[in-house]
Amino acid sequence: MSCLHIKHLTVTFETLMGTVVAVDDVSFDHESKETLALVGETGCGKSVIASSILKLLPDNANLSGEILYGDKDLLRLSERELADIRGQEISIIFQNPTLALNPVYRIGDQISELFRVHKRASSKKSKAYATSLLGRMGFKDPEHAFHMYPSQFSEGMNQRVLIALALALHPKIIIADEPTKGLDDQLKEEILKELMKIKEEKESSLFLITHDFDAARNIADRVALMYCGQIVEIALSPDFFDEPFHPYARGLLKSLPSHDFAPIPGASPSMISPPEGCRFHPRCAERLEVCSHEMPEPIKKSGRIIRCFLYR
Amino acid sequence: MKKIARYLLALFIIISINFFIPRLMPGDPITNLMGEDYIVSQESIDALKAELGLDKPLLVQYVTYWGDVIRLDLGHSFHFHTEVSQIIASKLFWTTALVGLSILFGTLFGAILGALSGWGKNDPKNKTLTTFFLWIYCTPPFFLSLVVLYVFAFKIGIFPLRGFYETGTFTDIAKHFFLPVLVLSLSLASRNYMIMRGSIIQEKGKLYILYARAKGLLNRGILFRHAFKNASLPLITLVALDIGFIISGALFVEIVFSMNGMGTLIFDALLARDYPVLQGIFLIITIMVVVANFLADIVYGIIDPRVREQR
Ligand SMILES: Nc1ncnc2c1ncn2[C@@H]1O[C@H](COP(=O)(O)OP(=O)(O)OP(=O)(O)O)[C@@H](O)[C@H]1O
Ligand code: SF4
Ligand SMILES: [Mg+2]
């Protein structure tokens, strides 16, 4: 059962430099209770997909396509309808926790707010909820943590707060945009473990955006790989890491320190005027004649979805 | 704690300056003291000097001066024939009322309108509002007073031109207060509007705003629960720094509206060269500025935990 169908999502930004095509005809399903990892190099459009799902993009963004959640198209809901879904049914964890929290409100109040907004809970009740939530997130003295401000917490502690907030109302979908960025390895592991534990408990699905292939391998059920605004391969995690299909996926895995450490030749393409044909063709060692002037469409192949002429 | 010490030091320096300035002034202190409407003999000058302690060494004078300040004894005005502290006290209330009300309304309206305007799209409504406040912003308060006085009191005649008495009924006093408070509030609101608008536009792009939206808050909720508090921090600093200007603006407005306050007092004292009164006013106003800054500092600390930590 899938809980989110994304169909032909395209997102462009009008900028002074020209039109940026950040997401280009992306379609995928997100199954309930699964962990789907979205990977890809920086600037390829991962965060824009995440923000599109909750319609959190700035005014200069143009969206087209459909994002179906149940029988609703999230892109066509009013702000009021969206507000009911945000934080309650679909929650998001940003990659920059200290900046995501309001510097002049106590941590506890920022958590309580969620119960007050969505559950119309009294201030006493929401305070009790918030305190118990802090306790569950591993704060030794939750009463004390309640009264702290984000600036008095470390990055890791704030990240825990964001996770607590994301899980508080048992959402159907949790979007986590690089939740472990900038944390040290031990903390990374701890945070991911915590996230997974509660996710399992609450039976939520997790849409995890990450640069960290190890994390994706360890916790994701499926992996989606993005290149230059497009999803080029979606496969079950073991399949993807054992035998990647797409030439870009193969190149990426080879460039990892645990493999050959051999970087993909060439530079990341411009998002304003991407290459004609297959976006990856200027850097592809296996390109065919057709690749430079025709764009491959995504096709199903042995349980995967792949965008490459080699698998036609 | 450190901050309190700094404010006390500032007060100490200000009060000391107030002691030295008249003594460094050229001319005879007694003439300065009494103003130029008296001609006195040398004996009476000497007698007066002895009475006021001006023949004693500077250090002794300085210590006596501090004693006087602490007892709120600011000397005697020969022009008004009363104690300086009494004169000032009788006028201070009205000026404080004028300034206080104006800061209250000016900050409230300026901040709220500025926040709404900065938060919304730059539509014709907001553009008009910004133009209006820009126009007020560029007009000196005393000139605005003249315009308002001309229109409302002289042409339309719904408000009195002059004739403010402390003994009037409440409605009478309110009538006299309305226009001056309006002018000062508008002038303050225009500054606050500009600052708040810019400040909100800056906050709007921050991540915590986006996150508040992601939590399920609606537009107005995000503005007033999240953006407003952060955006008002620069405003508080500005109002505190501006207290001096606000008071001096108020003094001019008082003069234009013939209000019975410090402005009119300064005006009269200047004409009469009544130095003790001027000195007393200088002292009181600077103390007011320091106290206002101190209050602003406390408010700032209550709002922003990062400032509180630095104490
Ligand atoms: N508000 C915006 N205006 C213009 N361009 C934008 C905007 N937001 C994102 N982009 C562009 O869209 C592209 C995709 O950005 P996105 O943030 O999704 O990348 P990402 O894959 O999340 O990268 P990272 O791994 O660094 O987080 C980038 O080229 C970026 O410059
Ligand atoms: S479509 Fe062609 S250029 Fe693109 S990845 Fe496949 S083989 Fe390489
Ligand atoms: Mg990103």
Side-chain angles (χ1 to χ4, degrees):
Chain A
M1 245 273 290
S2 61
C3 55
L4 202 63
H5 299 279
I6 298 190
K7 289 187 183 167
H8 306 292
L9 177 68
T10 298
V11 185
T12 59
F13 293 102
E14 299 303 331
T15 69
L16 292 176
M17 311 285 294
T19 304
V20 178
V21 186
V23 176
D24 184 4
D25 192 14
V26 160
S27 302
F28 66 91
D29 287 349
H30 187 30
E31 307 294 329
S32 9
K33 301 180 201 173
E34 80 164 339
T35 299
L36 174 64
L38 182 63
V39 295
E41 65 195 350
T42 182
C44 68
K46 302 183 297 293
S47 298
V48 173
I49 292 186
S51 306
S52 306
I53 297 173
L54 285 174
K55 260 189 108 181
L56 294 173
L57 290 167
D59 292 340
N60 65 340
N62 305 305
L63 289 94
S64 66
E66 291 172 34
I67 299 181
L68 299 176
Y69 171 72
D71 54 357
K72 299 176 202 132
D73 180 356
L74 296 182
L75 295 185
R76 275 154 198 89
L77 291 187
S78 69
E79 268 299 302
R80 192 167 281 281
E81 291 169 302
L82 278 167
D84 280 340
I85 292 178
R86 292 174 181 149
Q88 177 161 246
E89 297 187 36
I90 305 179
S91 62
I92 187 163
I93 302 168
F94 282 141
Q95 60 187 14
N96 217 325
T98 307
L99 292 180
L101 292 168
N102 190 332
V104 300
Y105 283 108
R106 296 181 302 186
I107 295 284
D109 291 330
Q110 301 194 47
I111 300 177
S112 310
E113 189 175 38
L114 205 63
F115 299 105
R116 308 191 63 164
V117 169
H118 288 295
K119 298 287 178 220
R120 311 228 166 276
S122 68
S123 69
K124 212 174 134 196
K125 262 208 179 121
S126 37
K127 188 178 170 179
Y129 286 141
T131 314
S132 77
L133 204 58
L134 281 167
R136 293 219 15 224
M137 279 317 288
F139 288 96
K140 296 264 150 29
D141 184 355
E143 279 288 339
H144 178 72
F146 187 100
H147 294 278
M148 298 295 269
Y149 288 87
S151 57
Q152 297 166 320
F153 270 1
S154 70
E155 192 82 359
M157 284 152 104
N158 282 330
Q159 190 60 279
R160 267 170 219 265
V161 172
L162 247 63
I163 293 175
L165 270 161
L167 300 164
L169 298 176
H170 312 182
K172 293 234 169 46
I173 306 170
I174 301 160
I175 303 170
D177 191 349
E178 300 187 47
T180 54
K181 194 181 184 185
L183 303 180
D184 63 56
D185 284 348
Q186 196 197 333
L187 206 57
K188 246 182 213 170
E189 207 167 302
E190 245 173 70
I191 296 253
L192 281 179
K193 218 184 258 165
E194 218 133 12
L195 188 60
M196 290 308 289
K197 196 179 97 203
I198 305 186
K199 179 229 151 211
E200 297 294 328
E201 232 176 85
K202 311 274 191 223
E203 308 200 314
S204 310
S205 77
L206 176 64
F207 182 54
L208 175 72
I209 295 174
T210 183
H211 276 285
D212 184 347
F213 281 99
D214 285 333
R217 189 202 307 262
N218 290 339
I219 67 175
D221 302 309
R222 289 193 304 150
V223 175
L225 174 66
M226 233 184 144
Y227 184 77
C228 191
Q230 299 181 327
I231 288 190
V232 294
E233 179 166 355
I234 304 179
L236 290 175
S237 170
D239 295 351
F240 181 84
F241 287 104
D242 289 348
E243 193 203 339
F245 276 12
H246 198 278
Y248 174 58
R250 288 206 286 268
L252 261 187
L253 291 180
K254 265 197 206 129
S255 71
L256 292 180
S258 54
H259 290 72
D260 296 350
F261 223 154
I264 305 173
S268 316
S270 143
M271 303 287 280
I272 292 181
S273 47
E276 295 241 343
C278 170
R279 301 277 190 256
F280 188 57
H281 88 262
R283 302 168 76 183
C284 182
E286 295 161 68
R287 71 166 164 262
L288 310 168
E289 176 54 37
V290 60
C291 300
S292 58
H293 53 265
E294 222 177 285
M295 178 139 74
E297 292 299 323
I299 50 165
K300 280 203 173 127
K301 181 97 184 178
S302 22
R304 310 187 187 203
I305 291 169
I306 182 117
R307 209 189 245 272
C308 171
F309 284 123
L310 292 179
Y311 301 89
R312 205 161 32 168
Chain B
M1 255 5 257
K2 233 183 181 171
K3 282 237 169 90
I4 294 177
R6 218 177 304 156
Y7 278 109
L8 286 178
L9 183 69
L11 274 182
F12 175 80
I13 293 175
I14 287 164
I15 295 173
S16 301
I17 288 177
N18 199 48
F19 167 80
F20 286 109
I21 282 190
R23 282 161 182 82
L24 294 173
M25 267 194 312
D28 180 47
I30 293 299
T31 325
N32 286 345
L33 198 64
M34 297 181 49
E36 286 174 357
D37 21 345
Y38 291 90
I39 298 169
V40 273
S41 65
Q42 189 59 44
E43 290 103 78
S44 6
I45 287 181
D46 290 341
L48 209 61
K49 265 192 176 170
E51 193 195 313
L52 292 170
L54 287 175
D55 50 350
K56 304 224 178 65
L58 211 56
L59 192 68
V60 179
Q61 286 184 38
Y62 185 59
V63 173
T64 328
Y65 165 80
W66 267 102
D68 290 347
V69 168
I70 287 164
R71 273 181 287 112
L72 290 178
D73 177 0
L74 299 174
H76 185 86
S77 163
F78 291 86
H79 176 69
F80 292 99
H81 304 288
T82 27
E83 293 305 307
V84 171
S85 51
Q86 253 173 33
I87 305 172
I88 293 181
S90 70
K91 313 275 175 179
L92 189 63
F93 174 76
W94 299 107
T95 302
T96 318
L98 174 62
V99 170
L101 283 175
S102 305
I103 289 183
L104 187 72
F105 293 135
T107 310
L108 225 58
F109 284 117
I112 291 176
L113 288 177
L116 287 172
S117 150
W119 189 253
K121 296 211 163 58
N122 201 14
D123 54 9
K125 196 181 86 225
N126 281 338
K127 273 187 188 151
T128 317
L129 200 62
T130 307
T131 315
F132 170 73
F133 275 120
L134 197 62
W135 188 76
I136 301 275
Y137 184 69
C138 300
T139 316
F142 76 87
F143 185 73
L144 200 61
S145 305
L146 284 173
V147 173
V148 164
L149 199 62
Y150 179 76
V151 174
F152 288 98
F154 191 68
K155 279 283 171 187
I156 307 180
I158 42 174
F159 289 104
L161 259 176
R162 53 184 302 120
F164 175 78
Y165 299 110
E166 300 166 25
T167 47
T169 59
F170 178 78
T171 35
D172 205 31
I173 290 176
K175 258 190 185 163
H176 278 93
F177 251 73
F178 186 81
L179 286 182
V181 170
L182 178 76
V183 167
L184 264 187
S185 302
L186 268 180
S187 140
L188 264 168
S190 70
R191 292 177 78 88
N192 294 335
Y193 174 88
M194 295 299 163
I195 301 295
M196 199 61 183
R197 192 180 132 82
S199 186
I200 283 280
I201 287 175
Q202 238 181 27
E203 293 299 316
K204 214 162 55 165
K206 300 227 170 123
L207 193 63
Y208 74 86
I209 298 292
L210 192 68
Y211 188 62
R213 196 180 297 280
K215 273 161 83 176
L217 270 77
L218 283 164
N219 229 347
R220 283 286 156 84
I222 301 172
L223 171 59
F224 287 110
R225 289 170 85 135
H226 285 274
F228 196 84
K229 205 170 167 189
N230 284 283
S232 57
L233 293 174
L235 196 73
I236 295 167
T237 317
L238 191 89
V239 171
L241 287 176
D242 265 8
I243 289 279
F245 289 107
I246 295 170
I247 293 178
S248 66
L251 301 184
F252 280 112
V253 171
E254 273 180 353
I255 295 171
V256 174
F257 284 100
S258 325
M259 302 276 291
N260 194 12
M262 303 270 274
T264 334
L265 180 63
I266 292 183
F267 192 62
D268 291 343
L270 265 177
L271 285 184
R273 296 213 185 189
D274 190 335
Y275 288 102
V277 168
L278 288 175
Q279 251 186 72
I281 293 174
F282 167 77
L283 191 68
I284 295 296
I285 289 182
T286 33
I287 290 175
M288 275 167 75
V289 171
V290 173
V291 169
N293 274 288
F294 181 64
L295 287 179
D297 235 352
I298 291 176
V299 173
Y300 205 101
I302 291 174
I303 293 186
D304 193 342
R306 291 163 296 184
V307 172
R308 205 157 49 219
E309 280 159 39
Q310 286 161 16
R311 296 255 164 93

